[in-house]
Amino acid sequence: MALLELRNVSKIYHLGGEEIRALDDVSLDIGAGEFVSIIGPSGSGKSTLMHILGCLDTPSHGTVTLDGIQVEKASASELARVRNRKIGFVFQFFNLLPKLNVVQNVELPMIYAGVSGSQRREQALQALEMVELGNRLKNRPSQLSGGQQQRVAIARALVNNPRIIFADEPTGNLDTHTGEVILALFRRLSQEGRTVILVTHNPEIAAVTPRRIEIRNGRIAEKVDARLAGLDRLAASATPAAAVAGA
Amino acid sequence: MIILNSIVIGLKEIWAHKVRSLLTMMGIILGVTSLVGMAAIIKGMENGMKEAMIAMGGVDKVLTRDQQVPAWQDHLADQAPGITLVDVHALKRSAPLIRLVSPEMSLDDVTISRGDKRSDYSECVGVWPSVLEMNLHTLEHGRFFNDLDEEQARPVVVIGTGIRDELFGKPSEVGREIVPLGETIQIDGQPFVIVGMFQEYIGEQEAKERARAKLEAAQGTSKAAAGPKRQRGWGRRGGWAFWRKNYTIYMPLNTAWVRFRSAGRGTGIPDPRLTDMDIKVADFGRMEDAIQQARNVMLLTHQGIEDFTFETQENQIENINKQIRNARMSGGFIAGISLLVGGIGIMNIMLASINERVREIGICKAVGATGPNIFLQILIESAVIAVVGGLMGLVVSELFVELIGVLTPSQNTPMITREAEAVAVGFSALVGVIAGILPAIKAARFSPIEALRYE
């Protein structure tokens, strides 16, 4: 069974009596350890898809299974618990809490997981070491560069050791070079065996992943065969052209 | 865990918006100040009244007062004898429920002098030795009168320290305590020998102050050294009841009669009536019976004419308690309203604050905060603001009470009680929690996506 299973998922919004199908009958499997990008222009429904995949939202129709949990039936508190334990989020605007320093920001998910103080500090330090920010523990987010802030956000996403990392336009607010550093970090996470899902509108960024899921008008327009890409994952991630050729 | 973190975050929020937090807390600060201040004032009143009550002779003392004869005895009014020594002897013999009878014959408007010094005020009374127990006097120097003094109407007096201060000098001014035993003073020109002096009666408040002053003087930190001793406000401190008691001059009852009353001071008519006859009951629990017994005895000696009445301190205590209850109620009401207003201020600011922090709340939810987590966090934040405000209120109320003490000196110095402080802080915490409920519910209901999208 795949880590994430979507079956006939629709998300319908009602805006002033008009029905908007942000997602229209989407079925999708994402296996454990995959490095996937979800790509599409703005308004295509990719954000909605990410919200549903990330348990931030529930579908109007269809079923979502995450690591064996029926998401569409879960209560808000259960969803929060799933997000806390199984998912790490990285956002375009970093979304760090401005009043907390770097370590406290990274500790935040563990507070809600009920981890004890000393263990929290230890795990946060480990996660920050991993993103090479072990020397900026007491800084406020506003005292860090964009790339550093995003690395803090990644540390925060990793700290509860989740199975899935969601990144929503993680390089959108960064310059090209810093963006590459961040993408390299995701690639490393993927190589370490985590499931990484990258949401972007930029095909160049999507090109780093072996598998791409393209969304148009709420439907999956095209996808790269996971098994094909998986055969040559390292090569594919190294040369974007190969991934395209593999399609 | 989450609770501790929420408290820390709450304190950070307060610190991050110092001015706003202070304004928010103002309502609570004022509420706590008025609650604690009011309680302190009432406590001061209560203390003053209780002390005065004891200074006047305690609760088991019953005063016998002259009274106009009832309407139906109007035709007998000219036969009304008034309260005399006959009543005293009768009560002593025939009323076993009465433990102590103390006749008093006071001499109004007498001049107390010694050389060129005079005392403008005095409580000059002819008494029996039973007055000591009746009015709870403590003889510190010399002796009291004996039967011989009484029988021979000797010109001897026992004085309070106030009279000593006026005629011989205050210890604080003279530098040593004068004990004028054996000295002679004039009462309306007649020489009297001082045979005893009472201790100095002071209220608890003043006793404390003096102890403090003494301590400061001993440590050499007294501020008084810099200039003349500053007296707070006007008038005499320490309570009028104590003050009055210190101006006592007692002489044997017979002396007052023979040397003053029998000559008919002022009117030329000898007046054997007592100005006061105080009694103490043997058993406080049988107060009613004792008074009835006294009344029966006295109706006999007065030939049925009811020209007297009894006044118990119980009536007075009841009055005091009633006053205190009323003051407490109105004070509590005012303080309650200010705390309520403070609570509304907090609710208002918390609603504004969560609207500012929609994004932060969204982030917390995205990384795994549940609705109840957020609810608790906002609730605690609100309570933290209120409690911090409450604690600041305690500080302000200390200053406030100090200020009252300086501005309106009275015998009833307000006294802050721990109970009032605990109630005030507890109540502000409660107000904070209640004020936080609505904002907390609102924040807990934010959808994470909406919150994250919010700019």
Side-chain angles (χ1 to χ4, degrees):
Chain A
M1 193 170 70
L3 183 61
L4 259 168
E5 285 181 13
L6 266 65
R7 290 286 171 271
N8 311 103
V9 165
S10 300
K11 182 73 187 179
I12 299 163
Y13 294 106
H14 295 277
L15 271 183
E18 205 180 338
E19 196 177 79
I20 295 170
R21 287 184 171 261
L23 278 183
D24 191 4
D25 199 28
V26 171
S27 294
L28 179 66
D29 280 2
I30 295 175
E34 273 196 275
F35 191 15
V36 185
S37 59
I38 297 174
I39 186 170
S42 63
S44 62
K46 66 176 191 305
S47 291
T48 309
L49 179 62
M50 192 200 82
H51 290 153
I52 287 174
L53 287 171
C55 296
L56 287 165
D57 205 353
T58 48
S60 310
H61 304 290
T63 62
V64 180
T65 314
L66 189 151
D67 203 10
I69 299 162
Q70 287 294 112
V71 171
E72 78 278 358
K73 287 180 192 152
S75 71
S77 289
E78 283 164 347
L79 286 183
R81 218 158 293 130
V82 171
R83 287 198 295 273
N84 188 231
R85 307 278 154 80
K86 304 210 182 271
I87 301 172
F89 286 99
V90 179
F91 299 96
Q92 179 177 2
F93 297 104
F94 322 133
N95 282 348
L96 300 173
L97 295 187
K99 281 168 206 128
L100 302 182
N101 66 29
V102 166
V103 190
Q104 288 165 335
N105 260 295
V106 175
E107 283 182 2
L108 193 64
M110 290 187 284
I111 290 175
Y112 296 119
V115 180
S116 75
S118 54
Q119 201 189 338
R120 227 157 56 202
R121 182 53 55 116
E122 194 180 313
Q123 276 177 244
L125 291 181
Q126 271 177 16
L128 282 165
E129 283 300 332
M130 210 199 125
V131 297
E132 289 161 13
L133 274 176
N135 54 344
R136 307 301 294 267
L137 303 180
K138 296 290 173 197
N139 288 73
R140 292 290 166 92
S142 56
Q143 295 165 319
L144 301 177
S145 71
Q148 287 170 326
Q149 287 190 50
Q150 196 61 301
R151 268 146 60 198
V152 175
I154 292 169
R156 182 179 68 186
L158 289 175
V159 79
N160 261 354
N161 201 19
R163 300 199 64 181
I164 309 171
I165 306 277
F166 276 98
D168 184 9
E169 303 278 10
T171 60
N173 252 20
L174 302 172
D175 61 69
T176 322
H177 173 71
T178 320
E180 275 169 18
V181 173
I182 296 294
L183 284 180
L185 202 51
F186 283 121
R187 198 177 299 136
R188 207 175 98 209
L189 291 176
S190 167
Q191 282 161 9
E192 284 169 4
R194 276 180 225 272
T195 312
V196 179
I197 301 174
L198 214 62
V199 179
T200 182
H201 67 280
N202 185 345
E204 277 181 45
I205 291 165
V208 305
T209 65
R211 180 181 170 195
R212 288 178 298 155
I213 301 166
E214 199 172 326
I215 303 285
R216 284 240 165 87
N217 297 325
R219 288 172 177 274
I220 293 180
E222 181 188 351
K223 55 182 176 182
V224 179
D225 190 312
R227 276 157 296 168
L228 253 180
L231 284 177
D232 200 2
R233 185 196 269 175
L234 289 179
S237 55
T239 52
V244 180
Chain B
M1 186 77 62
I2 286 174
I3 290 174
L4 200 69
N5 268 288
S6 303
I7 291 172
V8 172
I9 289 173
L11 289 173
K12 274 186 181 160
E13 281 294 324
I14 291 174
W15 195 242
H17 312 274
K18 290 174 208 66
V19 176
R20 189 174 86 175
S21 305
L22 194 68
L23 290 175
T24 310
M25 287 186 277
M26 201 56 93
I28 295 287
I29 292 173
L30 292 180
V32 167
T33 304
S34 57
L35 203 152
V36 173
M38 204 68 77
I41 291 169
I42 292 165
K43 184 73 185 169
M45 269 166 58
E46 203 178 328
N47 282 352
M49 288 182 194
K50 280 188 179 155
E51 279 186 340
M53 178 71 62
I54 289 166
M56 287 185 302
V59 287
D60 52 348
K61 180 170 159 185
V62 180
L63 309 176
T64 315
R65 293 243 184 266
D66 283 323
Q67 171 186 260
Q68 220 176 348
V69 293
W72 54 275
Q73 289 185 332
D74 219 19
H75 61 290
L76 297 170
D78 56 349
Q79 293 175 41
I83 298 162
T84 60
L85 272 179
V86 176
D87 295 311
V88 178
H89 291 297
L91 283 176
K92 283 187 78 165
R93 276 194 207 118
S94 321
L97 287 175
I98 307 283
R99 176 167 63 92
L100 199 65
V101 184
S102 169
E104 290 184 11
M105 190 177 277
S106 65
L107 306 171
D108 300 325
D109 302 323
V110 289
T111 311
I112 314 293
S113 61
R114 172 179 173 267
D116 58 350
K117 286 184 174 169
R118 285 173 51 145
S119 175
D120 291 331
Y121 180 82
S122 66
E123 294 268 320
C124 190
V125 192
V127 293
W128 281 4
S130 58
V131 78
L132 288 182
E133 197 185 341
M134 179 61 67
N135 288 347
L136 305 174
H137 274 291
T138 310
L139 192 67
E140 195 165 276
H141 305 282
R143 63 172 179 93
F144 208 71
F145 325 124
N146 50 36
D147 291 344
L148 213 57
D149 293 322
E150 170 72 19
E151 198 183 309
Q152 300 186 349
R154 284 181 178 169
V156 288
V157 287
V158 172
I159 61 169
T161 54
I163 298 293
R164 186 269 319 265
D165 292 349
E166 297 283 346
L167 299 183
F168 297 90
K170 281 185 189 178
S172 58
E173 283 160 9
V174 182
R176 65 190 176 86
E177 172 139 35
I178 296 172
V179 183
L181 296 183
E183 299 277 348
T184 305
I185 60 171
Q186 258 87 40
I187 299 176
D188 266 3
Q190 300 191 42
F192 278 77
V193 175
I194 299 168
V195 295
M197 188 169 78
F198 296 122
Q199 73 169 52
E200 185 178 9
Y201 303 106
I202 50 171
E204 198 182 331
Q205 189 68 26
E206 185 155 343
K208 264 187 220 159
E209 247 160 59
R210 284 194 192 175
R212 196 166 57 211
K214 208 179 237 175
L215 197 72
E216 275 175 6
Q219 289 170 339
T221 55
S222 176
K223 288 170 202 138
K229 191 173 185 296
R230 221 181 303 162
Q231 182 156 12
R232 276 218 227 148
W234 315 268
R236 297 170 174 86
R237 290 177 52 79
W240 60 269
F242 296 103
W243 179 76
R244 240 180 83 176
K245 207 167 172 178
N246 284 332
Y247 275 77
T248 302
I249 298 182
Y250 281 157
M251 66 179 73
L253 187 73
N254 203 20
T255 307
W257 163 242
V258 168
R259 290 177 186 263
F260 295 93
R261 284 294 189 88
S262 63
R265 287 178 72 240
T267 56
I269 305 163
D271 182 3
R273 284 178 300 171
L274 299 172
T275 38
D276 232 337
M277 184 181 66
D278 302 339
I279 54 184
K280 275 197 176 173
V281 297
D283 179 1
F284 189 61
R286 295 182 67 188
M287 180 73 105
E288 294 288 312
D289 298 343
I291 289 175
Q292 189 54 47
Q293 197 170 61
R295 170 174 284 120
N296 291 344
V297 171
M298 284 177 72
L299 279 175
L300 272 178
T301 54
H302 289 229
Q303 285 113 37
I305 303 170
E306 208 170 349
D307 61 343
F308 57 88
T309 181
F310 299 97
E311 198 175 290
T312 62
Q313 308 274 41
E314 215 171 353
N315 298 343
Q316 247 164 313
I317 291 173
E318 215 163 86
N319 273 343
I320 290 171
N321 284 343
K322 204 170 155 189
Q323 277 181 39
I324 287 169
R325 242 194 334 269
N326 287 348
R328 236 181 228 153
M329 194 109 87
S330 49
F333 192 66
I334 292 167
I337 286 178
S338 17
L339 278 176
L340 190 75
V341 171
I344 292 170
I346 290 182
M347 189 189 298
N348 194 11
I349 228 63
M350 288 308 293
L351 283 172
S353 164
I354 60 162
N355 279 335
E356 260 172 36
R357 285 153 63 201
V358 165
R359 195 175 179 81
E360 280 180 36
I361 293 165
I363 295 167
C364 290
K365 285 203 150 185
V367 302
T370 61
N373 287 154
I374 299 291
F375 178 83
L376 197 65
Q377 186 169 327
I378 300 297
L379 206 62
I380 288 172
E381 244 185 80
S382 170
V384 165
I385 290 180
V387 169
V388 170
L391 293 175
M392 287 170 81
L394 290 190
V395 176
V396 174
S397 61
E398 294 271 351
L399 301 175
F400 176 68
V401 166
E402 189 74 13
L403 193 72
I404 293 177
V406 173
L407 289 183
T408 60
S410 67
Q411 64 274 24
N412 306 332
T413 314
M415 204 177 98
I416 291 179
T417 55
R418 296 278 154 255
E419 293 89 359
E421 289 187 326
V423 166
V425 173
F427 207 68
S428 40
L430 186 71
V431 163
V433 168
I434 291 172
I437 288 175
L438 189 67
I441 289 176
K442 218 180 146 197
R445 281 192 186 154
F446 283 157
S447 134
I449 318 165
E450 293 298 325
L452 277 175
R453 226 182 254 151
Y454 193 91
E455 291 294 334

